[in-house]
Amino acid sequence: MDVKDFYYDLPQELIAQDPLADRSGSRLLVLDRATGGMQHRHFADIVDYLNPADCLVINNTKVIPARLFGEKEGTQAKIEILLLKRRENDVWETLVKPGKKAKPGTRIFFGDGLLIGEITDVVEDGNRLIQFTYEGIFEEILDRLGQMPLPPYITHQLKDKSRYQTVYAKYDGSAAAPTAGLHFTPELLGQIRAKGICIAEVTLHVGLGTFRPVKVENVKEHHMHSEYYELDKQAAEIINATKRRGGRVICVGTTSCRTVESAAAKIGRESIALANEKSLCQEVSETWVKPCRGWTDIFIYPGYQFQVLDALITNFHLPESTLVMLVSALAGREKVLHAYEEAVKEKYRFFSFGDAMLVV
């Protein structure tokens, strides 16, 4: 399986640079994965495709203003850092530009010394560990000094930080937004609940790796980045009850998908262990996910057998990206690329602030 198999041609002008005034006003391409048939709708029409027996899985992670601009102690050289993930207390794994100026022992001053970072180590992929010192509350200082870490393909300045957050964002930790969720409004979620559709909240803190290109020719050789996730008892109960009654688990975004499939993988391993000891117990056989937390590097590409997900709401993704591969695993590569060609032809808006796709 070659990475070039997931390429499509995208005109630059179709990359959305700004969010729409109305979150739910984006377009929606509905793809039937069985037939390859397509419908052109608006996102607010998503309610028409959801049934009372279904559940919607949303990722309630919150993007932190993770991009910081500072000066190197002594030389005042400009340095930019991007917070990737918290290792412990005030130690963060970061991406530093320019890397040549960021050797262990280097101190960086942000906001005239309101925040000071010292590089303590160089780790995988050239990322730096930085120990921060400050007075007060880190999150408040970050909100004052940091900028939203918009993807590299967005060149416009974001005027309203909240537009790179979902309306249901709760828990700080992401370096990028779970963009499929940006289309939802409180009113639309209210309509969904009023129709009797359950909503399960999970958490996956999106890492910078979501934008990193696949650098190997053979897809199977790609090393997937890891991200922290949580699926609590309430979400597990909603998802399991949905599957038991024959409803569909519809994930909002690839991050929600990776979360539920990671949780399912844990059940699978335990089921195998039980089967080796004695017959599989009924409780396990009727459970698709269980409460869990940890780090996942699950890589979903064609050939993968989905354990939980039945349908997916997602944006249009970069050519040759792991996200296009994930959607292709669900609907088939040829059908997905054909749908993308149709979206280009119909001038849909692409990527983070772009339009959406529903794969059913």
Side-chain angles (χ1 to χ4, degrees), residues 102-104 119-129:
K103 298 177 181 178
I119 297 172
T120 60
D121 199 5
V122 179
V123 294
E124 188 179 8
D125 294 328
N127 295 340
R128 268 65 173 174
L129 295 186

Side-chain angles (χ1 to χ4, degrees), residues 243-271:
K243 300 294 281 187
R244 288 179 188 130
R245 65 173 172 261
R248 296 173 302 168
V249 173
I250 302 168
C251 288
V252 177
T254 57
T255 60
S256 297
C257 167
R258 294 180 70 237
T259 301
V260 299
E261 293 298 315
S262 296
K266 285 184 172 291
I267 289 287
R269 284 194 293 271
E270 292 176 4
S271 297

Side-chain angles (χ1 to χ4, degrees), residues 4-6 302 327-329 331-338:
K4 293 184 178 64
D5 294 336
F6 299 91
V327 180
S328 296
R333 184 183 67 86
E334 293 183 359
K335 291 173 185 172
V336 169
L337 292 181
H338 181 58

